[in-house]
Amino acid sequence: GATAAPSSSHAARERSLDVVSSRPTFADVHLDGALVAALRRCGYDAPSPIQLAATPLGRFGADVIAHAKSGTGKTITFVVITLERIKASSRRTQALTLSPTRECAMQTHSCFVKLIAAFDTDDARRGIDVAVVVGGLPVKEDRARLATQPHVVVGTPGRTRQLLDEGAMACDGVRLLILDEADALL
């Protein structure tokens, strides 16, 4: 059987603007303008597929399990979600990120610091304090750092547990728990 060619009026018809897709932006996931500008300053112009899928869910408090290849932007995804949900005016630990290795924790800490520094100086998020607690560094310094109630703590399981067990880390204000590379943690 022969197939009929589409009529010329059908082939020439354009799709309406509400169904035409273009490359999404961070504004499309409803991030506030200051955060979008900070992301741009850090070199993030458009969200990756994992960022596009997970960011809206995390922003609104849903539990999210995100699985994607290395290098696809998972870390910046949970950093963005955290910075959207932290109350900078509240001086207490509000987020805890557990990373399987010291190197991973240091990389996550660096990602937080870089994005926070990219906010305009008058943005309250510029004052968000992030501490990293990992083995191999003096625990005395970690205790002193945690006494200041940083907004975000990034740590490895062993050191974090030690600090929790001895009461050096208050987690009564923690609203976000991020398990980075959960498969490796478990």
Side-chain angles (χ1 to χ4, degrees):
T3 58
S7 69
S8 61
S9 64
H10 177 70
R13 188 171 19 153
E14 291 186 30
R15 297 175 72 184
S16 67
L17 291 177
D18 60 338
V19 295
V20 172
S21 63
S22 62
R23 187 166 187 206
T25 67
F26 280 104
D28 294 330
V29 293
H30 305 288
L31 298 178
D32 68 76
L35 185 50
V36 171
L39 284 162
R40 278 195 193 117
R41 286 185 200 106
C42 289
Y44 298 100
D45 293 319
S48 68
I50 192 68
Q51 294 163 346
L52 195 59
T55 303
L57 297 171
R59 287 185 66 238
F60 294 108
D63 292 337
V64 177
I65 298 174
H67 178 74
K69 291 180 183 179
S70 182
T72 58
K74 293 182 301 291
T75 302
I76 198 69
T77 301
F78 66 75
V79 167
V80 164
I81 291 167
T82 302
L83 295 179
E84 273 266 308
R85 301 205 47 222
I86 291 292
K87 292 181 182 170
S89 61
S90 177
R91 192 60 186 185
R92 63 187 314 171
T93 301
Q94 300 169 48
L96 172 60
T97 298
L98 290 176
S99 298
T101 66
R102 178 180 171 164
E103 292 75 21
C104 187
M106 299 302 267
Q107 177 188 358
T108 297
H109 177 261
S110 177
C111 191
F112 270 108
V113 169
K114 181 180 176 183
L115 188 54
I116 289 167
F119 282 99
D120 290 331
T121 54
D122 61 342
D123 192 298
R125 286 172 287 203
R126 186 77 181 251
I128 290 177
D129 191 20
V130 183
V132 63
V133 294
V134 295
L137 299 176
V139 71
K140 182 179 180 180
E141 292 176 17
D142 290 342
R143 289 184 194 113
R145 187 85 174 90
L146 293 176
T148 67
Q149 289 281 308
H151 296 95
V152 180
V153 175
V154 179
T156 52
R159 180 58 61 95
T160 302
R161 179 164 181 185
Q162 176 186 356
L163 293 164
L164 283 168
D165 286 349
E166 65 185 40
M169 184 174 146
C171 57
D172 57 328
V174 172
R175 301 172 8 182
L176 290 160
L177 174 63
I178 296 114
L179 302 177
D180 189 13
E181 297 189 23
D183 54 341
L185 284 171
L186 300 175

